[in-house]
């Protein structure tokens, strides 16, 4: 089915000037960018976005990293977009990510791992709403 998922190009990948190369991979996989915004997350925003991880030992470092520079946030649309984006990203830990994935090719550590992608339909809907609200999306018209 055609789905939408939320993708974040994290501060490490933005700093490495990789936005275009990452977008090219989304497009090559048949995913369309139907909303996008570059922003510097506040501590409040990053903390709220990752609230599910609040009790995890890496939470504080995660919030600090995600607020360390601008991020590029986009909604990807396409057939099986959620799984496709996860396949493009590769395993959370770049050391375990397969060759040809974003994290293998562009990231150095589990903390600074280049990209985020929604992990399922419910989180995708919630994460899209978090950044773009209900009418921040530009569906295809042609
Ligand atoms: P992300 O998909 O953005 O979701 C939470 C992030 O926490 C994850 O990617 C990693 O960058 C980061 N993180 C750091 N340590 C861990 C860990 N041990 N397990 C999972 N995620 C971690």
């Amino acid at each position: 089915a055609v789905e939408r998922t939320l993708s974040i190009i994290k501060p490490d990948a933005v700093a490495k000037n990789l936005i275009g190369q990452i977008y090219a991979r989304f497009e090559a996989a048949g995913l369309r960018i139907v909303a996008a915004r570059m922003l510097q997350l506040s501590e409040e925003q990053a903390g709220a976005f990752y609230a599910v991880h609040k009790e995890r030992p890496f939470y504080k470092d995660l919030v600090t990293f995600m607020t360390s520079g601008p991020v590029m946030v986009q909604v990807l649309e396409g057939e099986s977009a959620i799984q496709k984006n996860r396949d493009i990203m590769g395993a959370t830990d770049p050391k375990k990510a397969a060759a040809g994935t974003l994290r293998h090719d562009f990231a150095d550590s589990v903390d600074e791992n280049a990209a985020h992608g929604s992990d399922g339909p419910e989180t995708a809907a919630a994460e899209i709403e978090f950044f773009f609200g209900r009418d921040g999306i530009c569906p295809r018209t042609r």
Side-chain angles (χ1 to χ4, degrees), residues 10 50 53 56 58 62 92 103 110-111 113 116:
K10 296 188 180 185
Y50 282 118
H53 296 304
R56 308 284 287 277
F58 56 81
L62 176 61
T92 306
R103 276 134 171 195
V110 70
D111 296 293
N113 65 352
H116 166 83

